[in-house]
Amino acid sequence: QVHLQESGPGLVKPSETLSLTCTVSNDSISDYYWNWIRQPPGEGLEWIGYIHYSGNTNYNPSLQSRVTISADTSKNQFSLKLRSVTAADTAVYYCARDRDPDAWTGYYYGMDVWGQGTTVTVSS
Amino acid sequence: IVLTQSPATLSLSPGERATLSCRASQSVSRYLAWYQQKPGQAPRLLINDASNRATGIPARFSGSGSGTDFTLTISSLEPEDFAVYYCLQRSTWYTFGQGTRLEIK
């Protein structure tokens, strides 16, 4: 069974860079789309971006100037860097797996596997 | 693409039928999924491809719609169904709806 686990500092100072890693178990990251999603306290879900196994990335336009997502296939991990953080970046950060719709039927599988989430607080 | 969920809050009793709506600002075809989230937990995939139950999801959950209008129906509410529900589209980038909170009346 595929398992995703987020890791990284729980506290980041304003103006610094938030760095998180998602470790994928029982599957290879050399497949699928690997996403980061966040959820501020008491609010809804916000897609941050993804890295495709081909190396292509796409980011939420509202965050694009501050975000980088990368992958380390040797460690079966992918990572998030969010620069110049403020208190508004305080959230639970999730990693999740997605895939292309089926080439023949167009069937969309959804983000079907999620990590448990990690809380990041931005504060001095 | 903006996803608008309604109602924001739905108050029902166990055994009742729940109908949740998700409307897209432009067509997303069938590239829509529904999620359930309980406090302190990650979202759980319920419905993919707009109308298909994900693995292990009870038959009381059903989805319908295509294009811009989608519905999640829970035919007879169980106590464990009271949670927040989100829709997600991946037709253009990804966006989530703002959520519907299903609470016990």
Side-chain angles (χ1 to χ4, degrees):
Chain A
Q1 183 173 339
V2 182
H3 181 71
L4 277 59
Q5 180 69 58
E6 303 91 347
S7 59
L11 181 64
V12 181
K13 291 182 168 54
S15 80
E16 295 189 346
T17 296
L18 179 160
S19 296
L20 296 175
T21 296
C22 182
T23 300
V24 180
S25 304
N26 302 317
D27 198 359
S28 171
I29 67 166
S30 298
D31 202 352
Y32 302 109
Y33 293 81
W34 301 98
N35 291 269
W36 287 99
I37 299 102
R38 69 180 184 179
Q39 185 170 37
E43 298 185 23
L45 300 164
E46 180 182 33
W47 175 70
I48 299 171
Y50 69 67
I51 185 164
H52 187 243
Y53 70 90
S54 64
N56 289 340
T57 54
N58 263 317
Y59 304 128
N60 187 320
S62 69
L63 298 169
Q64 186 166 4
S65 63
R66 300 194 290 132
V67 172
T68 301
I69 298 175
S70 59
D72 186 337
T73 55
S74 68
K75 296 181 179 179
N76 226 36
Q77 296 175 334
F78 62 105
S79 299
L80 168 70
K81 290 190 185 300
L82 181 64
R83 297 175 290 277
S84 304
V85 297
T86 70
D89 296 309
T90 293
V92 176
Y93 285 76
Y94 297 99
C95 53
R97 183 183 82 170
D98 195 13
R99 74 187 84 177
D100 273 320
D102 183 89
W104 295 106
T105 66
Y107 190 99
Y108 173 50
Y109 296 92
M111 289 188 195
D112 60 346
V113 182
W114 292 62
Q116 65 185 29
T118 188
T119 299
V120 179
T121 301
V122 179
S123 175
S124 55
Chain B
I1 295 177
V2 177
L3 296 180
T4 302
Q5 292 188 239
S6 60
T9 303
L10 186 58
S11 299
L12 294 170
S13 300
E16 291 192 293
R17 181 184 187 90
T19 303
L20 288 68
S21 173
C22 177
R23 177 163 291 179
S25 58
Q26 63 189 76
S27 177
V28 300
S29 185
R30 296 182 60 83
Y31 297 149
L32 189 113
W34 287 95
Y35 294 84
Q36 177 193 68
Q37 188 179 35
K38 296 180 179 179
Q41 296 184 16
R44 172 194 182 197
L45 177 65
L46 298 176
I47 301 290
N48 56 24
D49 199 50
S51 62
N52 292 278
R53 281 188 302 277
T55 303
I57 301 303
R60 64 181 181 273
F61 291 92
S62 63
S64 64
S66 66
T68 60
D69 290 299
F70 300 87
T71 300
L72 173 69
T73 301
I74 310 172
S75 59
S76 178
L77 286 165
E78 297 287 342
E80 62 268 28
D81 297 336
F82 292 92
V84 180
Y85 292 83
Y86 295 95
C87 52
L88 165 68
Q89 71 80 24
R90 73 150 284 169
S91 177
T92 303
W93 312 121
Y94 293 84
T95 49
F96 290 91
Q98 82 280 17
T100 290
R101 179 177 303 279
L102 179 56
E103 63 178 27
I104 299 177
K105 188 173 180 179

